[in-house]
Amino acid sequence: MKIIDFKIYKVKPRWIFVKLITDENISGWGELVSGTKTETVVAGAYEIANRFLIGRDPFEIERLFQEMHRSFFRGGPINGTIVSGLEMALWDIKGKALGVPVYELLGGKARDKIKVYSWIGGDRPSAVVKEAQDRIDKGFQAIKMNATEELHYVDSFKKVDEVIERVAVLRDEFGDDLDIGIDFHGRVHKPMAKVLAKELEKFHPMFLEEVVLPENKEYYQVISNLVSTPLATGEREYTRWGFKSIFEQGAIDIIQPDVSLCGGILEMRKIIAMAESYDMAAAPHAPYGPIALAATLQVDVSSPNVFI
C-alpha cells in the first residue's frame, strides 16, 4: 500500500482536516489546530505531506513520524500540529486496513469507561450556575471553567474576589458532588498565581490548570509547594521532549497533551506512559473537532493513568 494523494480542508469554526489517500482506496483522516495561524499551518501541511508522505507506506508510522519531526529546526506549534494531524491520518489508514480500532494497536483496552468534563466558560457568577446545571442535567459529573481575566504581575485583590465568587456559587449550589477544574489559561503571573491558588484551595478544585505560562514552568514548583490541589498543564507542549522537564521537576500532577499538537496518537501514548512512570495522571486536551476527539479516545482507552 502506498500514499498517492492528500487533501486539506479548512472548516469553520476553527478546524483543519487532512485526508491521506492510498492506492488501495483506503483513506485516513487527521486534524490540525486552526486559529490565528491557519494559513501558515495549511501551507506547511502541503509542504511536509508532499515531501515525506507521497509514495510512502502508511503502515511505517514511526519511521514517517521521525522523518517529519527531525528537521534541523524542529518542534514548535506549527510543525507540531502538522506532524500530529498527518500522523493520526496514518493510524486511521492502518486501523481501517486491519479492520480494528486504533486502540487495539496500542495495546488494547485498559478501561471500559472514561470520565469526561464539560467546559462552562466562567466569566459571570450568574452564568456558571446555569451552565453547570445544564451539564449536570446532561449527565456530566465534572466541569471546567475559566479562573480569571488577564491579571497584571501584582493586581487588585478585588479581581481575586471575583474569581472566588464564581467558584463559591458553584460549591454553594452543588456541594462537593460536582468536580470543578479551574483553568488559569496562562493569564496569571507568578505573584498573583500564588495568591489565587491559595484562595481557591478551600473550594476543593479537581485541579488547577496552567497556573503560569508554559515558558515559566520553573514556577510550577512554587505553586505546588503552596497548595495541595493537583496542578495540570501540557496543552501547549509538543513531543515527549517538551514534557521532559515537567516530569523531572515533579510539581505537576496531571499532564494534558493534545493529540493535534504533541506529535499525534503514538507520541501522546508515549508521553502518557512516561507520566505513569512518574506517578502522574493524564487528562488529554481535546477541545477541537471530531477527528481529534476520536483520535484522543484511542489513547484514553488504552492508557491506565488517564483519569478524565
Side-chain angles (χ1 to χ4, degrees):
M1 183 187 294
K2 301 294 181 185
I3 299 169
I4 59 171
D5 200 4
F6 65 92
K7 298 184 183 299
I8 298 174
Y9 302 89
K10 293 181 289 183
V11 181
K12 293 182 178 181
R14 57 170 186 166
W15 301 335
I16 304 172
F17 300 142
V18 59
K19 179 182 181 182
L20 297 182
I21 303 165
T22 71
D23 57 357
E24 295 187 16
N25 204 30
I26 297 175
S27 298
W29 288 87
E31 183 173 345
L32 295 72
V33 175
S34 184
T36 58
K37 298 180 176 68
T38 299
E39 300 304 323
T40 306
V41 170
V42 169
Y46 276 106
E47 182 177 5
I48 290 177
N50 272 313
R51 180 177 178 185
F52 294 105
L53 298 185
I54 297 299
R56 303 295 296 277
D57 179 354
F59 276 31
E60 295 182 346
I61 297 173
E62 181 66 39
R63 179 187 299 212
L64 294 173
F65 167 82
Q66 293 292 342
E67 292 180 7
M68 290 188 290
H69 169 68
R70 289 188 180 190
S71 58
F72 184 80
F73 297 106
R74 63 186 65 177
I78 303 301
N79 197 63
T81 194
I82 293 166
V83 173
S84 298
L86 295 172
E87 193 264 10
M88 71 177 81
L90 295 172
W91 278 106
D92 193 26
I93 291 171
K94 194 164 191 173
K96 288 173 179 174
L98 298 177
V100 296
V102 169
Y103 67 76
E104 292 288 7
L105 306 177
L106 300 175
K109 288 196 295 184
R111 64 187 67 249
D112 295 312
K113 296 180 180 179
I114 299 171
K115 183 177 180 179
V116 296
Y117 62 75
S118 182
W119 174 259
I120 65 164
D123 296 325
R124 297 184 303 279
S126 60
V128 294
V129 171
K130 178 183 176 182
E131 293 296 321
Q133 185 63 61
D134 174 73
R135 303 311 190 274
I136 291 170
D137 292 343
K138 291 176 178 176
F140 288 94
Q141 298 175 328
I143 56 96
K144 188 170 82 171
M145 61 185 288
N146 269 332
T148 181
E149 60 186 285
E150 288 80 1
L151 297 181
H152 199 46
Y153 283 85
V154 178
D155 214 322
S156 165
F157 207 89
K158 180 178 181 294
K159 293 183 180 179
V160 175
D161 282 339
E162 291 171 353
V163 178
I164 299 307
E165 181 184 3
R166 290 194 288 274
V167 180
V169 295
L170 291 176
R171 279 289 172 248
D172 290 343
E173 184 72 22
F174 305 109
D176 284 329
D177 291 333
L178 180 67
D179 290 328
I180 305 171
I182 303 175
D183 191 356
F184 286 30
H185 237 139
R187 297 172 174 178
V188 187
H189 298 283
K190 176 173 66 86
M192 295 308 296
K194 294 192 296 182
V195 174
L196 196 54
K198 192 70 174 175
E199 290 295 321
L200 287 169
E201 187 173 21
K202 60 179 173 286
F203 297 108
H204 308 148
M206 180 169 56
F207 56 78
L208 300 178
E209 181 175 339
E210 275 200 341
V211 289
V212 293
L213 282 165
E215 52 262 43
N216 296 324
K217 65 182 68 174
E218 64 270 22
Y219 297 122
Y220 294 148
Q221 190 67 62
V222 173
I223 309 302
S224 179
N225 290 342
L226 289 174
V227 297
S228 60
T229 307
L231 301 184
T233 196
E235 69 183 71
R236 295 192 243 191
E237 303 287 354
Y238 11 89
T239 76
R240 73 205 88 149
W241 294 280
F243 284 83
K244 273 176 63 176
S245 62
I246 293 175
F247 295 140
E248 291 165 356
Q249 185 187 49
I252 294 297
D253 305 288
I254 305 161
I255 57 154
Q256 300 171 301
D258 189 315
V259 74
S260 289
L261 181 68
C262 73
I265 289 174
L266 185 56
E267 191 66 12
M268 186 161 83
R269 184 66 184 87
K270 291 176 181 178
I271 292 165
I272 291 174
M274 290 171 68
E276 184 184 6
S277 70
Y278 284 89
D279 205 23
M280 292 181 184
H285 185 249
Y288 303 113
I291 297 172
L293 178 59
T296 300
L297 291 173
Q298 307 309 306
V299 182
D300 288 351
V301 167
S302 63
S303 301
N305 55 326
V306 168
F307 90 102
I308 196 166

